[in-house]
Amino acid sequence: MPNVKIQVTNESTVLKDGDVAAVVPALQKQVTEHFAPAWGIDAQLSYVASDKLSEDSWWLVVLDNSDQAGALGYHDVTSNFLPLAKVFAATDLQFGEQWTVTVSHELLEELADPNINLTVFDQPTATAGKLYAYEVCDACEDDSNAYDIDGTLVSDFVLPAWFEPGRPANGTQFDYLGRIKNPLELLPGGYIGVFDVTKGTGWQQMTADAVAARYADRPRVGSRRERRATPRDQWLPSRGRE
């Protein structure tokens, strides 16, 4: 039995509790059958009512959107400083995106980098180098790259080889669906956080078309990207139930 227990709950007004509970079996299958063999990380998922969340579990909470804070606040740790993944279903629906892909995305990234502090250092020369955020879905996160599990659309994700810059092109599989052909490659609609250690400009977001944007320009408040760009001494726990 996996040591990591993740409770999934619904705090949104745009989805019914049954809608969210219904996708948990597909998410469990993705984690145990697809993700765990590649990454060596498994978890036990369960749906619970929002008033039954355990303080000893990791949480995955479906909310409306990032500017309507609600009872759980907009931070990425629970009141016990355990990992908290958040999905903004109203925002997804507003922009015609699949909320189940976002749920899958946040779940896998919560497992791969629960404290949002892991990076990979690419040092091509003695005086240059970049840190790449350890985000396993960002590079292939667009809905067009998703796949179906028992009627639920879930996110594609990269494999460990994606973070190995020295890997030859087509030398191995770089993402679950096999669409990425090179390490650190971004599919259309994908992005990754990059920190150039020689420039002093902080975290930047690199998109598939190679255009860099300021890291703070796009992330939702409380998101993994926003939290990675926030100094650790400024992190706040969730306010919990009020």
Side-chain angles (χ1 to χ4, degrees), residues 156-228:
D156 188 16
F157 59 91
V158 301
L159 304 182
W162 189 86
F163 290 100
E164 301 173 12
R167 286 274 191 172
N170 298 310
T172 188
Q173 189 168 340
F174 295 103
D175 68 305
Y176 181 74
L177 294 180
R179 294 171 176 169
I180 296 176
K181 304 304 180 185
N182 298 280
L184 304 179
E185 178 186 344
L186 304 176
L187 293 181
Y191 55 84
I192 193 68
V194 179
F195 192 117
D196 191 325
V197 299
T198 64
K199 292 185 176 180
T201 53
W203 284 101
Q204 302 275 321
Q205 182 176 288
M206 186 65 68
T207 61
D209 57 5
V211 175
R214 283 179 50 82
Y215 210 72
D217 286 345
R218 292 183 56 185
R220 301 177 182 127
V221 175
S223 70
R224 293 177 60 87
R225 284 178 284 158
E226 189 261 351
R227 186 172 160 205
R228 191 182 290 275

Side-chain angles (χ1 to χ4, degrees), residues 20-226:
V20 178
V23 306
V24 172
L27 297 173
Q28 183 69 71
K29 181 178 287 190
Q30 183 183 35
V31 169
T32 300
E33 299 182 10
H34 303 174
F35 186 76
W39 285 96
I41 305 167
D42 202 352
Q44 179 183 354
L45 309 182
S46 61
Y47 182 84
V48 299
S50 60
D51 60 350
K52 301 296 184 182
L53 287 168
S54 169
E55 298 293 335
D56 297 325
S57 294
W58 298 16
W59 297 351
L60 193 162
V61 181
V62 180
L63 300 159
D64 278 334
N65 51 61
S66 59
D67 58 1
Q68 296 176 3
L72 292 176
Y74 273 69
H75 314 292
D76 280 340
V77 288
T78 70
S79 56
N80 277 356
F81 283 87
L82 293 174
L84 162 62
K86 300 171 298 180
V87 172
F88 305 115
T91 301
D92 281 330
L93 295 174
Q94 178 184 355
F95 290 100
E97 299 176 356
Q98 296 288 332
W99 66 271
T100 60
V101 176
T102 305
V103 170
S104 167
H105 179 137
E106 295 301 328
L107 171 62
L108 299 185
E109 293 195 339
E110 181 180 27
L111 287 170
D113 185 12
N115 293 313
I116 314 181
N117 61 354
L118 299 180
T119 60
V120 170
F121 186 45
D122 178 22
Q123 186 180 15
T125 71
T127 58
K130 294 179 180 178
L131 295 169
Y132 287 83
Y134 212 66
E135 305 290 350
V136 299
C137 294
D138 288 355
C140 48
E141 68 107 38
D142 194 79
D143 283 2
S144 63
N145 301 318
Y147 66 101
D148 183 274
I149 298 179
D150 300 332
T152 296
L153 205 60
V154 298
S155 178
D156 188 16
F157 59 91
V158 301
L159 304 182
W162 189 86
F163 290 100
E164 301 173 12
R167 286 274 191 172
N170 298 310
T172 188
Q173 189 168 340
F174 295 103
D175 68 305
Y176 181 74
L177 294 180
R179 294 171 176 169
I180 296 176
K181 304 304 180 185
N182 298 280
L184 304 179
E185 178 186 344
L186 304 176
L187 293 181
Y191 55 84
I192 193 68
V194 179
F195 192 117
D196 191 325
V197 299
T198 64
K199 292 185 176 180
T201 53
W203 284 101
Q204 302 275 321
Q205 182 176 288
M206 186 65 68
T207 61
D209 57 5
V211 175
R214 283 179 50 82
Y215 210 72
D217 286 345
R218 292 183 56 185
R220 301 177 182 127
V221 175
S223 70
R224 293 177 60 87
R225 284 178 284 158
E226 189 261 351

